Amino acid sequence: MVLLQTILIFILVYYGLKFLLKWLAPKLFNYAMRKTNERFEQQFGNPGDFGHTKTREGETTISKKPHRRSNPSKKVGEYIDFEEID
């Protein structure tokens, strides 16, 4: 009789947890996503404004990268010739 009660308890616990997780999992997932979104917005600002600047309509903006001059005569390092020793 004890074996039958134990099996019945395991079955009830299994189906009870299955029902609770089916009901709670979406709510927990939505909560986690909402919190993650809030942290992201706090850290990086509104993602809808990313890459947009406040300019008036018809205004032209030109942005150039600064010209970086390379010095070809700049010595980068020393050449070392290796020889194999048998």
Side-chain angles (χ1 to χ4, degrees):
M1 193 65 173
V2 175
L3 179 64
L4 190 59
Q5 285 178 343
T6 306
I7 292 173
L8 184 62
I9 289 172
F10 278 127
I11 290 173
L12 287 174
V13 167
Y14 172 74
Y15 282 110
L17 287 176
K18 188 175 176 181
F19 175 74
L20 283 175
L21 287 177
K22 193 178 278 191
W23 182 71
L24 283 177
K27 294 181 188 292
L28 290 173
F29 181 73
N30 286 337
Y31 175 76
M33 290 300 293
R34 195 176 327 115
K35 282 297 192 179
T36 304
N37 193 22
E38 287 173 5
R39 287 188 201 130
F40 180 80
E41 285 180 359
Q42 278 180 347
Q43 189 171 2
F44 297 110
N46 190 0
D49 293 338
F50 183 72
H52 299 291
T53 58
K54 307 271 184 187
T55 57
R56 291 181 284 164
E57 187 176 343
E59 184 177 323
T60 304
T61 305
I62 300 173
S63 59
K64 295 182 179 179
K65 292 183 181 179
H67 183 65
R68 194 171 131 185
R69 295 184 180 189
S70 62
N71 191 354
S73 64
K74 181 179 177 183
K75 195 171 190 177
V76 176
E78 183 178 333
Y79 178 74
I80 300 174
D81 190 17
F82 291 99
E83 295 180 11
E84 285 189 32
I85 300 175
D86 290 329

